[in-house]
Amino acid sequence: MTPARPSGPFRIGERVQLTGPKGRLHTVTLRADGELHTHHGVLRHTSLIGQPDGSVVTNSSGHEYLALRPLLRDFVMSMPRGAAIVYPKDAAQILAEGDVFPGAVVVEAGVGSGALSLWLLRAIGAQGRLVSFERRAEFAEVARANVETFTGDRPENWDVVVGDLVEELPNAVAPASVDRVVLDMLAPWECIDVVADALAPGGVVVCYIATATQLSRVAEYIRGTGLFTEPDASETMVRGWHVEGLAVRPDHRMVAHTGFLLSARRLAPGAVLPEVRRRASKSSYGDEDVELWTPGAVGDRSITDKNLRKRVREAQRAADGARQAASGGAEPSA
């Protein structure tokens, strides 16, 4: 069960988001001896501990900071990362296009740093089940710690499986028992066959894809199986607006392309999809195009082992603080 978010006064071990001069954000884990050092001065954590959410505190130089518990969208943007995260705008669309509902059985791969896992856990509620797959054990550790940091506990309805989805999914779930599958990986087409076996008729698969070549290949593979509805592809862009009196205009910067979403629904066994009139013919791509679809050609951003170990330590320290806050803010014994 995913615990409710804490309320009341700030406690030792909690994450607090501070908005300082010129709107700059700082996220800290409260400690009895903790301090936030900036070129504007020093803000001691003791000035925050015991204050209500939404308080304004002053640092050593007289600069004011607004203190708030981070929302989920704030948390995922500032948490330690082993792998790149699914941004809030895409996570919201995944929940919408996948129609993720309370009580759903959901599979995701890979888990990355746990950002999408948090959104999925919130959507499925205490009665749902989330099974997350991750090939790298270090990424799984970061994800577990990040989820525990935000929720204050390890959700009982969340299983993290370290291994390859193709090999492990048949052992983790029964055939035709999964409501939704979310694939966030370099080569999602490699997993479509086992996903089709796991999905219940009418179930939804959503693929989060970085490049147009990946989008093309997974769409063609899904069509070629004959087991799904026609895939639907989209991308989401968010443009903020400046609103101050009569000065109302779009912001100069916007969150544009981060990735593509492609979704399709599982057909009933033996069902044949009515022919789509505008379907790409086999002659529309050749062997050279297929070569461009390979993960090696697409490219994979890697993180160094040293940097990854640092992210694991950061995530685990934050999780320790969350456990301390959940137990009443008592300092851990020596």
Side-chain angles (χ1 to χ4, degrees):
M1 178 178 179
T2 304
R5 294 295 300 132
S7 59
F10 293 131
R11 298 184 290 271
I12 292 175
E14 279 195 290
R15 300 272 282 184
V16 177
Q17 180 175 275
L18 301 170
T19 306
K22 298 183 179 180
R24 184 170 182 180
L25 298 178
H26 304 271
T27 302
V28 299
T29 300
L30 294 181
R31 306 191 312 273
D33 59 348
E35 296 178 338
L36 171 66
H37 291 259
T38 71
H39 64 280
H40 291 292
V42 179
L43 178 66
R44 291 181 172 81
H45 291 192
T46 51
S47 64
L48 292 164
I49 297 170
Q51 296 295 319
D53 208 346
S55 295
V56 176
V57 295
T58 305
N59 74 355
S60 60
S61 300
H63 293 281
E64 294 183 331
Y65 287 79
L66 171 64
L68 289 163
R69 287 187 176 91
L71 301 175
L72 179 50
R73 68 179 185 184
D74 303 318
F75 177 80
V76 299
M77 296 301 292
S78 64
M79 68 186 190
R81 302 180 187 181
I85 66 167
V86 175
Y87 280 78
K89 72 180 182 71
D90 295 315
Q93 282 296 105
I94 288 171
L95 298 183
E97 294 202 14
D99 190 35
V100 181
F101 57 91
V105 177
V106 180
V107 167
E108 70 160 334
V111 70
S113 299
L116 183 60
S117 304
L118 282 164
W119 292 104
L120 291 171
L121 286 166
R122 175 173 285 181
I124 64 176
Q127 303 305 314
R129 180 191 177 199
L130 175 63
V131 185
S132 302
F133 292 82
E134 176 54 56
R135 290 179 176 177
R136 297 193 62 172
E138 298 91 340
F139 288 175
E141 288 183 39
V142 172
R144 290 190 186 101
N146 283 333
V147 169
E148 188 171 346
T149 297
F150 189 77
T151 63
D153 198 0
R154 184 73 55 82
E156 297 176 359
N157 61 339
W158 184 42
D159 298 313
V160 180
V161 180
V162 178
D164 188 272
L165 180 73
V166 174
E167 299 174 358
E168 301 295 338
L169 183 59
N171 301 322
V173 299
S177 65
V178 175
D179 298 302
R180 307 291 185 257
V181 175
V182 182
L183 301 178
D184 175 15
M185 56 180 62
L186 273 175
W189 52 87
E190 295 177 352
C191 305
I192 295 300
D193 293 332
V194 294
V195 165
D197 292 337
L199 275 174
V204 182
V205 59
V206 180
C207 301
Y208 182 60
I209 306 157
T211 70
T213 50
Q214 290 170 298
L215 177 65
S216 175
R217 182 164 186 182
V218 71
E220 294 301 329
Y221 194 97
I222 286 175
R223 288 190 181 106
T225 65
L227 301 174
F228 293 88
T229 60
E230 179 69 9
D232 180 60
S234 65
E235 65 176 332
T236 303
M237 300 183 184
V238 175
R239 183 173 69 173
W241 279 70
H242 171 88
V243 181
E244 187 174 348
L246 296 179
V248 180
R249 55 169 175 73
D251 284 340
H252 297 304
R253 300 177 64 183
M254 66 179 291
V255 183
H257 177 78
T258 49
F260 299 101
L261 292 182
L262 184 142
S263 62
R265 300 190 68 179
R266 180 69 163 93
L267 297 175
V272 178
L273 186 68
E275 184 178 356
V276 179
R277 292 182 179 179
R278 295 184 179 179
R279 177 177 294 179
S281 65
K282 292 182 179 180
S283 61
S284 62
Y285 60 89
D287 292 341
E288 292 182 0
D289 299 310
V290 172
E291 179 62 26
L292 293 176
W293 285 332
T294 61
V298 170
D300 183 13
R301 294 182 179 179
S302 60
I303 183 173
T304 64
D305 291 340
K306 180 180 178 180
N307 201 353
L308 183 55
R309 288 194 296 269
K310 178 182 177 183
R311 304 294 175 82
V312 171
R313 290 195 299 269
E314 290 176 353
Q316 290 175 340
R317 280 198 297 269
D320 291 340
R323 285 193 294 270
Q324 185 180 354
S327 63
E331 291 280 7
S333 59

